[in-house]
Coordinates of all heavy atoms in Angstrom, one line a residue:
A1 N 50.3 2.0 88.2 CA 48.9 1.5 88.0 C 48.1 2.5 87.3 O 47.2 2.1 86.5 CB 48.3 1.1 89.4
I2 N 48.4 3.8 87.5 CA 47.6 4.8 86.7 C 48.0 4.7 85.2 O 47.1 4.7 84.4 CB 48.0 6.2 87.2 CG1 47.5 6.5 88.6 CG2 47.5 7.3 86.3 CD1 47.9 7.8 89.2
E3 N 49.3 4.5 84.9 CA 49.7 4.5 83.5 C 49.1 3.3 82.9 O 48.9 3.3 81.6 CB 51.2 4.5 83.5 CG 51.8 5.8 83.9 CD 53.3 5.7 84.0 OE1 53.9 4.7 83.7 OE2 53.9 6.8 84.4
R4 N 48.9 2.2 83.6 CA 48.3 1.0 83.0 C 46.8 1.0 83.0 O 46.1 0.0 82.6 CB 48.8 -0.3 83.7 CG 50.3 -0.5 83.6 CD 50.7 -1.8 84.2 NE 50.5 -1.8 85.6 CZ 51.4 -1.5 86.5 NH1 52.6 -1.0 86.2 NH2 51.1 -1.5 87.8
G5 N 46.2 2.1 83.5 CA 44.8 2.2 83.5 C 44.1 1.4 84.6 O 42.9 1.2 84.6
Q6 N 44.8 1.0 85.6 CA 44.3 0.2 86.7 C 43.7 1.1 87.8 O 43.0 0.6 88.6 CB 45.3 -0.7 87.2 CG 45.8 -1.8 86.3 CD 46.9 -2.6 86.7 OE1 47.7 -2.1 87.5 NE2 47.0 -3.8 86.3
L7 N 44.1 2.4 87.8 CA 43.7 3.3 88.8 C 43.3 4.6 88.2 O 44.0 5.1 87.3 CB 44.8 3.6 89.8 CG 45.2 2.6 90.9 CD1 46.3 3.2 91.7 CD2 44.0 2.2 91.7
S8 N 42.2 5.2 88.6 CA 41.9 6.6 88.2 C 42.7 7.5 89.0 O 43.3 7.2 90.0 CB 40.4 6.8 88.4 OG 40.1 7.0 89.8
P9 N 42.9 8.8 88.5 CA 43.6 9.8 89.2 C 43.1 10.0 90.6 O 43.8 10.2 91.6 CB 43.5 11.0 88.4 CG 43.3 10.5 87.0 CD 42.5 9.2 87.2
R10 N 41.7 9.9 90.8 CA 41.2 10.1 92.1 C 41.5 9.0 93.1 O 41.9 9.2 94.2 CB 39.6 10.2 92.0 CG 39.0 10.3 93.4 CD 37.5 10.4 93.3 NE 37.1 11.7 92.8 CZ 35.9 12.0 92.3 NH1 34.9 11.1 92.4 NH2 35.6 13.2 91.9
E11 N 41.5 7.8 92.5 CA 41.9 6.6 93.4 C 43.3 6.7 93.8 O 43.6 6.4 95.0 CB 41.6 5.3 92.6 CG 40.2 5.0 92.3 CD 39.9 3.9 91.3 OE1 40.8 3.6 90.5 OE2 38.9 3.3 91.4
A12 N 44.2 7.1 92.9 CA 45.6 7.2 93.2 C 45.8 8.3 94.3 O 46.6 8.1 95.2 CB 46.4 7.6 92.0
R13 N 45.1 9.4 94.1 CA 45.2 10.5 95.1 C 44.8 10.0 96.5 O 45.4 10.3 97.5 CB 44.3 11.7 94.6 CG 44.8 13.0 95.0 CD 44.0 14.2 94.4 NE 42.6 13.9 93.9 CZ 42.3 13.8 92.7 NH1 43.2 13.9 91.7 NH2 41.0 13.6 92.3
N14 N 43.6 9.3 96.5 CA 43.2 8.8 97.8 C 44.1 7.8 98.4 O 44.3 7.8 99.7 CB 41.8 8.2 97.7 CG 40.7 9.2 97.4 OD1 40.8 10.4 97.6 ND2 39.6 8.7 96.8
L15 N 44.7 6.9 97.6 CA 45.7 6.0 98.2 C 46.9 6.7 98.7 O 47.5 6.3 99.7 CB 46.1 5.0 97.1 CG 45.0 3.9 96.8 CD1 45.3 3.2 95.5 CD2 44.8 2.9 98.0
R16 N 47.4 7.7 97.9 CA 48.6 8.5 98.4 C 48.3 9.1 99.8 O 49.1 9.2 100.6 CB 49.0 9.5 97.4 CG 49.7 8.9 96.2 CD 50.2 10.1 95.3 NE 50.5 9.5 94.0 CZ 49.9 9.8 92.9 NH1 48.9 10.6 92.8 NH2 50.3 9.2 91.7
A17 N 47.1 9.7 99.9 CA 46.7 10.3 101.2 C 46.7 9.3 102.3 O 47.2 9.6 103.4 CB 45.3 10.9 101.1
E18 N 46.2 8.1 102.0 CA 46.2 7.0 103.1 C 47.6 6.6 103.5 O 47.9 6.5 104.6 CB 45.4 5.8 102.5 CG 44.0 5.9 102.4 CD 43.2 5.6 103.7 OE1 43.8 5.1 104.7 OE2 42.1 6.1 103.8
L19 N 48.5 6.5 102.5 CA 49.8 6.2 102.7 C 50.5 7.3 103.5 O 51.3 7.0 104.5 CB 50.6 5.9 101.4 CG 52.0 5.5 101.5 CD1 52.1 4.2 102.3 CD2 52.6 5.3 100.1
R20 N 50.3 8.5 103.1 CA 50.9 9.7 103.9 C 50.5 9.7 105.3 O 51.3 9.9 106.2 CB 50.6 11.0 103.2 CG 51.5 11.4 102.2 CD 51.3 12.9 101.8 NE 49.9 13.2 101.5 CZ 49.3 13.0 100.3 NH1 50.0 12.6 99.3 NH2 48.1 13.4 100.1
D21 N 49.2 9.4 105.6 CA 48.7 9.3 107.0 C 49.4 8.2 107.7 O 49.9 8.4 108.9 CB 47.2 9.1 107.0 CG 46.4 10.3 106.5 OD1 47.0 11.4 106.4 OD2 45.2 10.1 106.2
A22 N 49.6 7.0 107.1 CA 50.3 6.0 107.8 C 51.7 6.3 108.1 O 52.3 6.0 109.2 CB 50.2 4.7 107.0
Q23 N 52.4 7.0 107.1 CA 53.7 7.4 107.3 C 53.9 8.4 108.4 O 54.9 8.4 109.2 CB 54.3 7.9 106.0 CG 54.5 6.8 105.0 CD 54.8 7.3 103.6 OE1 54.4 8.4 103.2 NE2 55.7 6.6 102.8
R24 N 53.0 9.3 108.5 CA 53.0 10.3 109.5 C 52.9 9.7 110.9 O 53.6 10.1 111.8 CB 51.8 11.3 109.3 CG 52.2 12.7 109.6 CD 51.1 13.7 109.1 NE 51.0 13.5 107.7 CZ 49.9 13.7 106.9 NH1 48.9 14.2 107.4 NH2 49.9 13.5 105.7
V25 N 52.0 8.7 111.1 CA 51.8 8.0 112.3 C 53.1 7.3 112.6 O 53.6 7.3 113.8 CB 50.6 7.1 112.3 CG1 50.6 6.2 113.5 CG2 49.3 7.8 112.2
E26 N 53.7 6.6 111.6 CA 55.0 5.9 111.9 C 56.0 6.9 112.4 O 56.8 6.6 113.3 CB 55.4 5.3 110.6 CG 56.7 4.5 110.8 CD 57.3 3.9 109.5 OE1 56.9 4.3 108.4 OE2 58.1 2.9 109.6
W27 N 56.1 8.1 111.8 CA 57.1 9.1 112.2 C 56.9 9.5 113.6 O 57.8 9.5 114.4 CB 57.0 10.3 111.3 CG 58.0 11.3 111.7 CD1 59.3 11.4 111.3 CD2 57.8 12.5 112.5 NE1 59.9 12.5 111.9 CE2 59.0 13.2 112.6 CE3 56.6 12.9 113.1 CZ2 59.1 14.4 113.4 CZ3 56.7 14.1 113.9 CH2 57.9 14.8 113.9
R28 N 55.6 9.7 114.0 CA 55.3 10.1 115.4 C 55.7 8.9 116.4 O 56.3 9.2 117.4 CB 53.8 10.4 115.6 CG 53.5 11.7 115.1 CD 52.1 12.2 115.6 NE 51.1 11.1 115.7 CZ 50.1 10.9 114.9 NH1 49.9 11.8 113.9 NH2 49.2 10.0 115.0
Y29 N 55.4 7.7 116.0 CA 55.8 6.6 116.9 C 57.3 6.4 117.0 O 57.8 6.1 118.0 CB 55.2 5.3 116.3 CG 53.7 5.1 116.4 CD1 53.1 4.1 115.8 CD2 52.9 5.9 117.3 CE1 51.7 3.9 115.9 CE2 51.6 5.7 117.4 CZ 50.9 4.7 116.7 OH 49.6 4.5 116.9
R30 N 58.0 6.7 115.9 CA 59.5 6.5 116.0 C 60.3 7.7 116.6 O 61.5 7.5 116.7 CB 60.0 6.2 114.6 CG 59.5 4.8 114.0 CD 60.2 4.6 112.7 NE 59.7 3.3 112.1 CZ 60.4 2.2 112.3 NH1 61.4 2.1 113.1 NH2 59.9 1.0 111.8
R31 N 59.6 8.7 116.9 CA 60.4 9.8 117.4 C 61.2 9.5 118.7 O 62.2 10.1 118.8 CB 59.4 11.0 117.8 CG 59.0 11.8 116.7 CD 58.2 13.1 117.1 NE 57.0 12.6 117.8 CZ 56.1 13.4 118.2 NH1 56.2 14.7 118.0 NH2 55.0 13.0 118.8
D32 N 60.7 8.6 119.5 CA 61.5 8.3 120.7 C 62.5 7.2 120.4 O 63.2 6.8 121.4 CB 60.6 8.0 121.9 CG 59.8 6.7 121.6 OD1 59.9 6.1 120.5 OD2 59.0 6.3 122.5
G33 N 62.6 6.7 119.2 CA 63.6 5.8 118.9 C 63.2 4.3 119.0 O 64.1 3.4 118.8
R34 N 62.0 4.0 119.4 CA 61.6 2.7 119.6 C 60.1 2.6 119.3 O 59.4 3.5 119.3 CB 61.9 2.1 120.9 CG 61.1 2.9 122.0 CD 61.5 2.4 123.4 NE 60.7 3.1 124.4 CZ 59.5 2.8 124.9 NH1 58.9 1.7 124.3 NH2 58.9 3.5 125.7
L35 N 59.6 1.3 119.0 CA 58.2 1.0 118.8 C 57.8 0.1 119.8 O 58.4 -1.0 120.0 CB 58.0 0.4 117.4 CG 58.2 1.3 116.2 CD1 58.1 0.5 114.9 CD2 57.2 2.4 116.2
T36 N 56.6 0.3 120.4 CA 56.0 -0.6 121.3 C 55.3 -1.7 120.5 O 55.1 -1.5 119.3 CB 55.0 0.1 122.3 OG1 53.9 0.5 121.5 CG2 55.6 1.2 123.1
S37 N 54.9 -2.7 121.1 CA 54.2 -3.8 120.4 C 52.8 -3.2 119.9 O 52.4 -3.6 118.8 CB 54.0 -5.0 121.3 OG 53.3 -4.7 122.4
Y38 N 52.2 -2.4 120.6 CA 51.0 -1.7 120.2 C 51.2 -0.9 118.9 O 50.5 -1.0 118.0 CB 50.3 -0.9 121.3 CG 49.2 0.0 120.7 CD1 48.0 -0.5 120.5 CD2 49.5 1.3 120.3 CE1 46.9 0.2 120.0 CE2 48.5 2.1 119.8 CZ 47.2 1.6 119.6 OH 46.2 2.3 119.1
E39 N 52.3 -0.1 119.0 CA 52.6 0.8 117.8 C 52.9 0.0 116.6 O 52.5 0.3 115.5 CB 53.7 1.7 118.2 CG 53.4 2.7 119.2 CD 54.6 3.5 119.8 OE1 55.7 3.0 119.7 OE2 54.4 4.5 120.4
R40 N 53.7 -1.1 116.8 CA 54.1 -2.0 115.7 C 52.8 -2.6 115.0 O 52.6 -2.6 113.8 CB 55.1 -3.0 116.1 CG 55.7 -3.9 115.0 CD 56.7 -4.9 115.6 NE 57.5 -4.4 116.7 CZ 58.6 -3.8 116.5 NH1 59.1 -3.4 115.3 NH2 59.3 -3.4 117.6
A41 N 51.9 -3.1 115.9 CA 50.7 -3.7 115.4 C 49.8 -2.7 114.7 O 49.2 -3.0 113.6 CB 49.9 -4.3 116.6
D42 N 49.7 -1.5 115.2 CA 49.0 -0.4 114.6 C 49.5 -0.1 113.2 O 48.7 0.1 112.3 CB 48.9 0.8 115.5 CG 48.1 1.9 114.9 OD1 46.9 1.7 114.5 OD2 48.5 3.1 114.9
L43 N 50.8 0.1 113.1 CA 51.4 0.4 111.8 C 51.2 -0.8 110.9 O 50.9 -0.5 109.7 CB 52.9 0.6 112.0 CG 53.3 2.0 112.7 CD1 54.8 2.0 112.9 CD2 52.8 3.1 111.9
D44 N 51.4 -2.0 111.3 CA 51.1 -3.1 110.4 C 49.7 -3.1 109.9 O 49.5 -3.3 108.6 CB 51.3 -4.5 111.1 CG 52.8 -4.8 111.3 OD1 53.6 -4.2 110.7 OD2 53.0 -5.7 112.2
Q45 N 48.7 -2.8 110.7 CA 47.4 -2.7 110.3 C 47.1 -1.6 109.3 O 46.4 -1.7 108.3 CB 46.5 -2.5 111.5 CG 45.0 -2.6 111.2 CD 44.2 -2.4 112.5 OE1 44.6 -1.8 113.5 NE2 43.0 -2.9 112.4
R46 N 47.8 -0.4 109.5 CA 47.6 0.7 108.7 C 48.2 0.5 107.3 O 47.6 0.7 106.2 CB 48.2 2.0 109.3 CG 47.5 2.6 110.4 CD 48.3 3.7 111.1 NE 47.7 4.1 112.3 CZ 46.8 5.1 112.4 NH1 46.4 5.7 111.3 NH2 46.3 5.4 113.5
F47 N 49.4 -0.1 107.2 CA 50.0 -0.4 106.0 C 49.3 -1.6 105.2 O 49.2 -1.6 104.0 CB 51.5 -0.7 106.1 CG 52.3 0.6 106.4 CD1 52.9 0.8 107.6 CD2 52.4 1.6 105.4 CE1 53.6 2.0 107.9 CE2 53.1 2.8 105.7 CZ 53.7 3.0 106.9
D48 N 48.8 -2.5 106.0 CA 48.0 -3.6 105.4 C 46.7 -3.0 104.7 O 46.3 -3.4 103.7 CB 47.6 -4.6 106.4 CG 48.8 -5.5 106.8 OD1 49.8 -5.5 106.1 OD2 48.6 -6.3 107.8
R49 N 46.1 -2.0 105.4 CA 44.9 -1.4 104.8 C 45.3 -0.7 103.5 O 44.5 -0.8 102.5 CB 44.4 -0.4 105.8 CG 43.2 0.5 105.3 CD 42.7 1.5 106.3 NE 42.0 2.5 105.7 CZ 40.7 2.4 105.3 NH1 40.1 1.3 105.3 NH2 40.1 3.5 104.8
V50 N 46.4 0.0 103.5 CA 46.8 0.7 102.2 C 46.9 -0.3 101.1 O 46.4 -0.2 100.0 CB 48.0 1.5 102.4 CG1 48.5 2.1 101.1 CG2 47.7 2.7 103.4
Q51 N 47.6 -1.4 101.4 CA 47.8 -2.5 100.4 C 46.5 -3.1 100.0 O 46.3 -3.3 98.8 CB 48.8 -3.5 101.0 CG 49.2 -4.6 100.0 CD 50.2 -5.5 100.7 OE1 50.2 -5.7 101.9 NE2 51.1 -6.0 99.9
A52 N 45.6 -3.3 100.9 CA 44.3 -3.9 100.5 C 43.5 -3.0 99.7 O 42.8 -3.4 98.7 CB 43.5 -4.3 101.8
L53 N 43.5 -1.7 100.0 CA 42.8 -0.7 99.2 C 43.4 -0.6 97.8 O 42.6 -0.5 96.8 CB 42.9 0.7 99.9 CG 42.1 0.9 101.1 CD1 42.4 2.2 101.8 CD2 40.6 0.9 100.8
L54 N 44.7 -0.7 97.7 CA 45.3 -0.7 96.3 C 44.9 -1.9 95.5 O 44.5 -1.8 94.4 CB 46.8 -0.7 96.5 CG 47.6 -0.8 95.1 CD1 47.3 0.3 94.2 CD2 49.1 -0.9 95.4
R55 N 44.9 -3.1 96.2 CA 44.4 -4.3 95.5 C 43.0 -4.2 95.0 O 42.6 -4.5 93.9 CB 44.6 -5.5 96.3 CG 46.0 -6.1 96.3 CD 46.0 -7.5 97.0 NE 45.4 -7.6 98.3 CZ 46.1 -7.4 99.4 NH1 47.4 -7.1 99.4 NH2 45.4 -7.5 100.6
M56 N 42.1 -3.6 95.9 CA 40.7 -3.5 95.6 C 40.5 -2.5 94.5 O 39.7 -2.8 93.5 CB 40.0 -3.0 96.9 CG 38.5 -2.9 96.7 SD 37.7 -2.2 98.2 CE 38.2 -0.5 98.1
E57 N 41.1 -1.4 94.5 CA 41.0 -0.4 93.5 C 41.5 -0.8 92.1 O 40.9 -0.5 91.1 CB 41.7 0.9 93.9 CG 41.1 1.6 95.1 CD 39.7 2.2 94.8 OE1 39.1 2.0 93.7 OE2 39.2 2.8 95.8
R58 N 42.6 -1.6 92.1 CA 43.1 -2.1 90.8 C 42.1 -3.1 90.2 O 42.1 -3.2 89.0 CB 44.4 -2.8 91.1 CG 45.5 -1.8 91.4 CD 46.8 -2.4 91.7 NE 47.3 -3.1 90.5 CZ 48.3 -4.0 90.5 NH1 48.9 -4.3 91.7 NH2 48.7 -4.5 89.4
R59 N 41.3 -3.8 91.0 CA 40.4 -4.8 90.5 C 39.0 -4.3 90.2 O 38.1 -5.0 89.8 CB 40.3 -6.0 91.5 CG 41.6 -6.7 91.6 CD 41.4 -7.9 92.5 NE 42.7 -8.4 92.7 CZ 43.0 -9.0 93.9 NH1 42.1 -9.2 94.8 NH2 44.2 -9.5 94.1
D60 N 38.6 -3.0 90.5 CA 37.3 -2.6 90.5 C 36.7 -2.2 89.1 O 35.6 -1.7 89.0 CB 37.0 -1.5 91.5 CG 37.6 -0.2 91.2 OD1 38.3 -0.1 90.1 OD2 37.4 0.8 91.9
Q61 N 37.5 -2.4 88.1 CA 37.1 -2.1 86.7 C 36.8 -0.6 86.4 O 36.0 -0.4 85.5 CB 35.9 -3.0 86.4 CG 36.1 -4.4 86.5 CD 37.3 -5.0 85.7 OE1 37.3 -4.7 84.5 NE2 38.2 -5.7 86.3
D62 N 37.3 0.3 87.2 CA 37.3 1.7 86.8 C 38.4 1.9 85.8 O 39.6 1.7 86.2 CB 37.5 2.6 88.0 CG 36.3 2.7 88.9 OD1 35.2 2.2 88.5 OD2 36.4 3.2 90.0
Y63 N 38.1 2.2 84.6 CA 39.1 2.3 83.6 C 39.7 3.6 83.4 O 40.4 3.9 82.4 CB 38.5 1.8 82.2 CG 38.1 0.4 82.3 CD1 36.7 0.0 82.3 CD2 39.1 -0.7 82.3 CE1 36.4 -1.3 82.4 CE2 38.6 -2.0 82.4 CZ 37.3 -2.3 82.4 OH 37.0 -3.6 82.4
G64 N 39.4 4.5 84.3 CA 39.9 5.9 84.1 C 38.8 6.7 83.3 O 37.7 6.4 83.3
Y65 N 39.2 7.7 82.7 CA 38.3 8.6 81.9 C 37.8 7.9 80.7 O 38.5 7.1 80.1 CB 39.0 9.9 81.5 CG 39.4 10.7 82.7 CD1 40.7 10.9 83.1 CD2 38.4 11.4 83.5 CE1 41.1 11.6 84.2 CE2 38.8 12.1 84.6 CZ 40.1 12.2 84.9 OH 40.5 12.9 86.0
G66 N 36.6 8.1 80.4 CA 36.0 7.5 79.2 C 35.0 6.4 79.6 O 34.4 6.4 80.6
Y67 N 35.0 5.4 78.8 CA 34.1 4.2 79.0 C 34.3 3.6 80.4 O 35.4 3.3 80.8 CB 34.3 3.2 77.9 CG 33.3 2.0 78.1 CD1 32.0 2.1 77.8 CD2 33.8 0.8 78.7 CE1 31.2 1.0 78.0 CE2 33.0 -0.2 78.9 CZ 31.6 -0.1 78.5 OH 30.8 -1.2 78.7
G68 N 33.2 3.4 81.1 CA 33.3 2.8 82.4 C 33.7 3.7 83.6 O 33.8 3.2 84.7
Y69 N 34.0 4.9 83.3 CA 34.4 5.8 84.4 C 33.2 6.2 85.2 O 32.3 6.9 84.7 CB 35.1 7.1 83.8 CG 35.8 7.9 84.8 CD1 36.9 7.4 85.5 CD2 35.3 9.1 85.2 CE1 37.5 8.2 86.4 CE2 35.9 9.9 86.2 CZ 37.1 9.4 86.8 OH 37.7 10.2 87.7
R70 N 33.2 5.8 86.5 CA 32.0 5.9 87.3 C 32.0 7.1 88.3 O 31.1 7.3 89.0 CB 31.8 4.6 88.1 CG 31.5 3.5 87.2 CD 31.2 2.3 88.1 NE 32.4 1.9 88.7 CZ 32.6 0.8 89.5 NH1 31.5 0.1 89.7 NH2 33.7 0.5 90.0
R71 N 33.1 7.9 88.3 CA 33.2 8.9 89.4 C 33.0 10.2 88.8 O 33.2 10.7 87.8 CB 34.5 8.8 90.1 CG 34.5 7.5 90.8 CD 35.8 7.3 91.6 NE 36.1 5.9 91.7 CZ 35.9 5.2 92.7 NH1 35.3 5.7 93.8 NH2 36.2 3.9 92.7

């Protein structure tokens, strides 16, 4: 998405951080070899959030550096 101009470098960095956080939580939950229904629901919600943020950032018309760059 960065290469296609759909995400600014800052947006990509923020999304990667969100994804890393969700992956870290997943790792903690899986340490004991199983997921409870609460943990599964929490992970679903976290990964859904990352996906929603990605969709939102791709559509927000920030074209990267230059014209329209708002950050």
Side-chain angles (χ1 to χ4, degrees):
I2 291 174
E3 292 172 1
R4 291 186 299 269
Q6 296 172 330
L7 288 178
S8 71
R10 176 183 287 169
E11 290 168 338
R13 209 172 26 254
N14 291 341
L15 286 166
R16 284 187 195 112
E18 289 278 343
L19 182 59
R20 270 193 311 273
D21 290 345
Q23 290 171 326
R24 219 170 298 157
V25 170
E26 180 183 22
W27 180 82
R28 280 196 324 256
Y29 286 167
R30 290 184 182 271
R31 277 190 300 187
D32 65 358
R34 63 184 181 85
L35 289 174
T36 66
S37 58
Y38 167 81
E39 291 168 341
R40 190 178 321 274
D42 183 48
L43 288 173
D44 284 344
Q45 184 179 27
R46 289 172 187 271
F47 286 112
D48 286 348
R49 174 180 160 73
V50 172
Q51 190 174 26
L53 288 170
L54 175 59
R55 277 194 307 270
M56 182 183 72
E57 292 294 1
R58 288 176 67 193
R59 293 182 189 150
D60 72 359
Q61 303 301 310
D62 285 349
Y63 296 108
Y65 296 107
Y67 181 76
Y69 191 70
R70 296 183 289 184
R71 297 181 208 261

